[in-house]
mmCIF file of all heavy atoms in Angstrom:
data_model
loop_
_atom_site.group_PDB
_atom_site.id
_atom_site.type_symbol
_atom_site.label_atom_id
_atom_site.label_comp_id
_atom_site.label_asym_id
_atom_site.label_seq_id
_atom_site.Cartn_x
_atom_site.Cartn_y
_atom_site.Cartn_z
ATOM 1 N N ILE K 573 144.131 184.860 43.492
ATOM 2 C CA ILE K 573 144.264 185.498 42.176
ATOM 3 C C ILE K 573 143.086 185.039 41.335
ATOM 4 O O ILE K 573 142.736 183.852 41.346
ATOM 5 C CB ILE K 573 145.582 185.069 41.490
ATOM 6 C CG1 ILE K 573 146.786 185.613 42.258
ATOM 7 C CG2 ILE K 573 145.614 185.533 40.043
ATOM 8 C CD1 ILE K 573 148.122 185.130 41.717
ATOM 9 N N LYS K 574 142.473 185.975 40.640
ATOM 10 C CA LYS K 574 141.325 185.609 39.800
ATOM 11 C C LYS K 574 141.809 184.841 38.571
ATOM 12 O O LYS K 574 142.731 185.260 37.883
ATOM 13 C CB LYS K 574 140.597 186.879 39.362
ATOM 14 C CG LYS K 574 139.246 186.616 38.700
ATOM 15 C CD LYS K 574 138.533 187.954 38.422
ATOM 16 C CE LYS K 574 137.354 187.762 37.491
ATOM 17 N NZ LYS K 574 136.286 186.939 38.060
ATOM 18 N N ARG K 575 141.188 183.693 38.327
ATOM 19 C CA ARG K 575 141.486 182.934 37.107
ATOM 20 C C ARG K 575 140.813 183.633 35.949
ATOM 21 O O ARG K 575 139.637 183.985 36.026
ATOM 22 C CB ARG K 575 140.925 181.514 37.211
ATOM 23 C CG ARG K 575 141.717 180.606 38.127
ATOM 24 C CD ARG K 575 140.972 179.336 38.375
ATOM 25 N NE ARG K 575 140.936 178.490 37.189
ATOM 26 C CZ ARG K 575 141.708 177.408 37.023
ATOM 27 N NH1 ARG K 575 142.565 177.051 37.964
ATOM 28 N NH2 ARG K 575 141.617 176.684 35.920
ATOM 29 N N ILE K 576 141.533 183.811 34.888
ATOM 30 C CA ILE K 576 140.907 184.467 33.730
ATOM 31 C C ILE K 576 140.908 183.550 32.520
ATOM 32 O O ILE K 576 141.714 182.624 32.417
ATOM 33 C CB ILE K 576 141.618 185.796 33.359
ATOM 34 C CG1 ILE K 576 143.128 185.573 33.216
ATOM 35 C CG2 ILE K 576 141.329 186.869 34.400
ATOM 36 C CD1 ILE K 576 143.865 186.749 32.614
ATOM 37 N N LYS K 577 139.968 183.760 31.675
ATOM 38 C CA LYS K 577 139.909 183.159 30.337
ATOM 39 C C LYS K 577 139.550 181.680 30.286
ATOM 40 O O LYS K 577 139.219 181.164 29.231
ATOM 41 C CB LYS K 577 141.237 183.365 29.578
ATOM 42 C CG LYS K 577 141.402 184.786 29.094
ATOM 43 C CD LYS K 577 142.584 184.855 28.145
ATOM 44 C CE LYS K 577 142.872 186.304 27.757
ATOM 45 N NZ LYS K 577 144.188 186.456 27.171
ATOM 46 N N SER K 578 139.682 180.951 31.403
ATOM 47 C CA SER K 578 139.436 179.517 31.291
ATOM 48 C C SER K 578 138.919 178.952 32.607
ATOM 49 O O SER K 578 139.490 179.184 33.660
ATOM 50 C CB SER K 578 140.735 178.799 30.903
ATOM 51 O OG SER K 578 140.481 177.432 30.679
ATOM 52 N N ASP K 579 137.823 178.222 32.518
ATOM 53 C CA ASP K 579 137.306 177.535 33.701
ATOM 54 C C ASP K 579 138.077 176.241 33.915
ATOM 55 O O ASP K 579 138.605 175.664 32.979
ATOM 56 C CB ASP K 579 135.818 177.199 33.525
ATOM 57 C CG ASP K 579 134.952 178.421 33.770
ATOM 58 O OD1 ASP K 579 135.453 179.362 34.425
ATOM 59 O OD2 ASP K 579 133.812 178.424 33.295
ATOM 60 N N TYR K 580 138.059 175.751 35.158
ATOM 61 C CA TYR K 580 138.780 174.518 35.484
ATOM 62 C C TYR K 580 138.298 173.344 34.639
ATOM 63 O O TYR K 580 139.079 172.548 34.147
ATOM 64 C CB TYR K 580 138.602 174.203 36.975
ATOM 65 C CG TYR K 580 139.251 172.927 37.420
ATOM 66 C CD1 TYR K 580 140.628 172.871 37.629
ATOM 67 C CD2 TYR K 580 138.499 171.782 37.601
ATOM 68 C CE1 TYR K 580 141.230 171.700 38.034
ATOM 69 C CE2 TYR K 580 139.097 170.599 38.002
ATOM 70 C CZ TYR K 580 140.454 170.559 38.227
ATOM 71 O OH TYR K 580 141.045 169.403 38.623
ATOM 72 N N HIS K 581 136.970 173.253 34.478
ATOM 73 C CA HIS K 581 136.416 172.107 33.760
ATOM 74 C C HIS K 581 136.277 172.344 32.250
ATOM 75 O O HIS K 581 135.733 171.512 31.540
ATOM 76 C CB HIS K 581 135.053 171.725 34.348
ATOM 77 C CG HIS K 581 135.185 171.022 35.665
ATOM 78 N ND1 HIS K 581 136.136 170.054 35.886
ATOM 79 C CD2 HIS K 581 134.490 171.147 36.824
ATOM 80 C CE1 HIS K 581 136.021 169.611 37.128
ATOM 81 N NE2 HIS K 581 135.046 170.265 37.724
ATOM 82 N N ASP K 582 136.744 173.514 31.798
ATOM 83 C CA ASP K 582 136.671 173.840 30.377
ATOM 84 C C ASP K 582 137.445 172.790 29.575
ATOM 85 O O ASP K 582 138.567 172.455 29.900
ATOM 86 C CB ASP K 582 137.312 175.223 30.173
ATOM 87 C CG ASP K 582 136.814 175.884 28.901
ATOM 88 O OD1 ASP K 582 136.362 175.153 28.007
ATOM 89 O OD2 ASP K 582 136.887 177.117 28.828
ATOM 90 N N THR K 583 136.823 172.262 28.501
ATOM 91 C CA THR K 583 137.508 171.206 27.755
ATOM 92 C C THR K 583 138.159 171.719 26.470
ATOM 93 O O THR K 583 138.740 170.956 25.712
ATOM 94 C CB THR K 583 136.545 170.056 27.397
ATOM 95 O OG1 THR K 583 135.470 170.588 26.635
ATOM 96 C CG2 THR K 583 136.034 169.361 28.649
ATOM 97 N N HIS K 584 138.045 173.015 26.185
ATOM 98 C CA HIS K 584 138.685 173.547 24.980
ATOM 99 C C HIS K 584 139.804 174.520 25.319
ATOM 100 O O HIS K 584 139.748 175.222 26.325
ATOM 101 C CB HIS K 584 137.647 174.256 24.100
ATOM 102 C CG HIS K 584 136.669 173.297 23.507
ATOM 103 N ND1 HIS K 584 136.948 172.540 22.398
ATOM 104 C CD2 HIS K 584 135.431 172.949 23.913
ATOM 105 C CE1 HIS K 584 135.920 171.765 22.126
ATOM 106 N NE2 HIS K 584 134.970 171.984 23.034
ATOM 107 N N ILE K 585 140.794 174.523 24.467
ATOM 108 C CA ILE K 585 141.893 175.467 24.642
ATOM 109 C C ILE K 585 141.609 176.681 23.771
ATOM 110 O O ILE K 585 141.455 176.563 22.560
ATOM 111 C CB ILE K 585 143.242 174.819 24.231
ATOM 112 C CG1 ILE K 585 143.563 173.658 25.179
ATOM 113 C CG2 ILE K 585 144.359 175.853 24.241
ATOM 114 C CD1 ILE K 585 144.768 172.836 24.766
#
Side-chain angles (χ1 to χ4, degrees):
Chain K
I573 293 175
K574 191 174 167 65
R575 285 169 71 103
I576 51 170
K577 286 191 186 164
S578 185
D579 281 340
Y580 178 77
H581 285 317
D582 203 337
T583 58
H584 292 280
I585 295 172

